Amino acid sequence: MTDTPTETAAEASAQAPAAPRANVAFAIEIGPLSAVVGDLPTVVAEFSLSLVALFYPMTLAKKANVVVTELVQNIVENVAEPTSDGAIKLAIDERDLVISVSNIANEEAYAKVRAKIAALGTPAEAKKLLAATIRERRPQRLKGGLGLIRLVAENRFTLSCDHKDGRLTVTARYPLEG
Amino acid sequence: MKILTYGEIMDGGASVFHSVAKVDGERLFVTFEGVIRIDNPYRFLEPYLQELDKTLPEQPVSGSVIDFAQLRFCNSNGFYVIMDIVEAVYRHVKGKVTVRRIRDDDWQQETLPILLNLDEEAIASRTDFEEVRAL
């Protein structure tokens, strides 16, 4: 035992020389989504948080947590095709953090998501949209409608989506600084 | 320190979130701790909101502290219930409101001001922030 104060992990990390940025990636495939009986968004999001925090600052791990939560929640809550599987991918390298979530969806569902993403604009514009959407939906406590906006307004991700072979994929990308 | 009321979210038999309203001297403290991840937090927190509406107007306090420093996560389904709790404090308790929040947490820095309704001058003029490091 010693009386010398011990530095916290955060302080030690701040004083340490910059470590090379790690490549971290995982992919999960599950299905059918209609068979999920537990809290899938929480399980995958908390895994993402813990994994990213092993290599990167907690601020980035928290971003991964939010994005995985909201995107996985979207596919679980909006299952149009009960037999659809779900695919969740996360990858970080020295350039960016990329998270994508895909499921089977028709053209109509794709068009809706594409329109939502197109309406988000810049983070500043998305922030105004977030405030307006909260004001509009709060009186009825309407569920949904905030997740994608939040990813841009709050976490400064760039969102995109595509539709290939009947699968809708939503991708969130965050550039790493420096 | 006198505890007025509290609300709690249980998940899988464990407490994952709780909010406590307490009075210390002339100040009201409302704390948030844990994570809000469930689909419908009102299922657990509606009685807490009703209790806040009942007990807060009776408190002889001149200021409040709303403490988010131990709220580790809030999904978008939790936004409205946070707004309702915060609104109860502003509506029923006079004086300054100090909001303790984590300095490097995106949600607490970017979205929380929207949930506090800081666009309203009456709210903004009563609100101060205390920025803290994550515990």
Side-chain angles (χ1 to χ4, degrees):
Chain A
M1 285 289 285
T2 171
D3 291 336
T4 308
T6 55
E7 61 188 357
T8 65
E11 286 164 346
S13 171
Q15 292 164 10
R21 281 181 166 165
N23 292 320
V24 180
F26 72 79
I28 298 172
E29 290 182 21
I30 39 160
L33 287 170
S34 58
V36 174
V37 292
D39 189 352
L40 180 66
T42 295
V43 170
V44 185
E46 291 195 341
F47 168 70
S48 304
L49 172 77
S50 301
L51 182 68
V52 174
L54 290 177
F55 301 93
Y56 286 90
M58 185 53 84
T59 48
L60 192 69
K62 284 182 174 181
K63 286 180 184 290
N65 183 16
V66 172
V67 173
V68 171
T69 297
E70 298 294 350
L71 292 185
V72 176
Q73 204 160 277
N74 278 353
I75 63 166
V76 171
E77 289 179 358
N78 305 310
V79 178
E81 170 51 63
T83 59
S84 174
D85 65 327
I88 303 143
K89 294 180 182 172
L90 178 151
I92 316 176
D93 59 22
E94 59 190 19
R95 287 168 297 145
D96 44 26
L97 163 63
V98 181
I99 297 166
S100 68
V101 172
S102 74
N103 63 325
I104 295 172
N106 59 25
E107 282 285 349
E108 188 186 351
Y110 167 57
K112 278 186 188 170
V113 172
R114 191 178 55 188
K116 276 185 187 171
I117 290 174
L120 296 176
T122 64
E125 290 165 337
K127 204 165 172 180
K128 286 180 186 166
L129 181 63
L130 181 63
T133 307
I134 287 172
R135 270 197 300 272
E136 180 189 313
R137 298 175 73 87
R138 187 182 173 209
Q140 288 82 38
R141 294 178 180 173
L142 293 174
K143 272 184 60 184
L146 301 174
L148 291 180
I149 311 174
R150 174 188 199 187
L151 304 188
V152 176
E154 173 187 299
N155 295 278
R156 296 175 183 271
F157 277 75
T158 303
L159 299 184
S160 62
C161 64
D162 66 31
H163 193 240
K164 283 180 189 161
D165 302 325
R167 293 190 72 83
L168 168 62
T169 303
V170 177
T171 301
R173 184 179 300 272
Y174 180 79
L176 275 58
E177 296 172 355
Chain B
M1 183 83 76
K2 176 187 168 192
I3 293 178
L4 302 176
T5 182
Y6 73 97
E8 185 174 38
I9 295 175
M10 304 288 289
D11 189 18
S15 174
V16 293
F17 166 85
H18 62 262
S19 175
V20 181
K22 51 200 168 190
V23 170
D24 190 7
E26 292 189 346
R27 288 222 285 184
L28 168 74
F29 290 81
V30 176
T31 59
F32 296 86
E33 187 170 342
V35 296
I36 300 179
R37 283 191 172 281
I38 62 167
D39 191 33
N40 179 12
Y42 286 101
R43 191 155 58 91
F44 292 91
L45 298 177
E46 193 74 64
Y48 177 53
L49 287 166
Q50 290 169 6
E51 199 61 26
L52 287 174
D53 279 338
K54 205 165 80 183
T55 57
L56 291 188
E58 302 165 354
Q59 302 310 313
V61 293
S62 57
S64 308
V65 175
I66 305 178
D67 191 346
F68 291 94
Q70 296 194 64
L71 180 60
R72 300 196 313 276
F73 182 81
C74 181
N75 68 5
S76 53
N77 290 335
F79 287 0
Y80 301 137
V81 82
I82 294 280
M83 293 177 86
D84 289 351
I85 295 169
V86 164
E87 198 172 87
V89 173
Y90 279 90
R91 189 169 60 239
H92 295 308
V93 180
K94 290 177 181 165
K96 280 279 185 190
V97 178
T98 299
V99 176
R100 292 186 87 233
R101 62 176 179 178
I102 299 171
R103 189 183 305 150
D104 59 357
D105 185 294
D106 292 333
W107 177 77
Q108 299 199 9
Q109 293 295 319
E110 302 292 339
T111 300
L112 183 57
I114 296 172
L115 307 188
L116 294 171
N117 227 349
L118 284 186
D119 280 353
E120 283 189 22
E121 177 53 32
I123 300 287
S125 63
R126 293 176 58 192
T127 307
D128 290 324
F129 285 101
E130 181 185 344
E131 312 286 355
V132 300
R133 291 176 62 173
L135 298 174

